[in-house]
Amino acid sequence: MLRLTGCSGIAIGRGALLNPWFFAQLQRWEETGDPGPAPTYLQRLDFMHRHFHLLVEQRGERFACLTFRKVANWYCRVLRPGRDIQQRLIRLESVAEFDGIVAGLCDREPPRGWEAEANGEALIRVPSGPIEHW
């Protein structure tokens, strides 16, 4: 994009919410020309688990649950766990509930088609208005 259009920069914020590995992949791509393999389903679950438990360490159980609710949809967009689990995550009340959800997801096969979302083929909605015509 930088080479082809001459733009000064690109916005990647929302893409990084869907793919937190983006920055490591970008660095590897710049160094080797290959971004490397996409993270697996289990690696993504592990990342979500770590994210939540770091929130618990920093904020305590109640505020970690409230804070995680805000990002749960981003994880669900890629992991595609189903509406029931997505709703449980956005209403999360405890560490035990979260750990049960993750354990259940680890015990089953990844949903069909999740790789398309995980590999960036999902469209990321951007705000409409004057900026959509830049």
Side-chain angles (χ1 to χ4, degrees):
M1 181 113 185
L2 298 171
R3 239 179 288 127
L4 292 176
T5 68
C7 66
S8 299
I10 54 173
I12 56 175
R14 289 177 180 219
L17 289 170
L18 287 175
N19 180 12
W21 286 266
F22 178 77
F23 301 102
Q25 290 170 330
L26 182 60
Q27 181 179 355
R28 182 174 171 179
W29 176 73
E30 286 181 341
E31 293 169 356
T32 68
D34 176 22
T40 66
Y41 190 77
L42 290 177
Q43 286 173 321
R44 289 178 179 278
L45 285 175
D46 185 56
F47 186 90
M48 181 175 75
H49 183 268
R50 183 171 182 262
H51 180 180
F52 177 74
H53 281 276
L54 286 172
L55 284 171
V56 172
E57 284 179 29
Q58 287 186 335
R59 307 276 312 208
E61 183 175 40
R62 175 164 164 59
F63 287 109
C65 289
L66 293 173
T67 303
F68 190 80
R69 291 175 182 181
K70 296 176 184 179
V71 296
N73 280 326
W74 289 102
Y75 283 107
C76 291
R77 179 123 183 234
V78 173
L79 295 171
R80 300 177 65 182
R83 182 158 172 77
D84 176 54
I85 290 174
Q86 182 253 353
Q87 291 298 305
R88 288 174 57 199
L89 285 172
I90 64 171
R91 291 179 174 83
L92 194 60
E93 296 282 339
S94 70
V95 171
E97 181 182 8
F98 177 84
D99 287 343
I101 291 168
V102 173
L105 291 172
C106 287
D107 288 343
R108 67 185 198 191
E109 291 289 318
R112 216 169 41 172
W114 81 273
E115 299 92 346
E117 299 283 336
N119 291 324
E121 294 174 21
L123 294 176
I124 299 170
R125 296 174 74 197
V126 295
S128 61
I131 65 167
E132 71 182 340
H133 301 292
W134 281 2

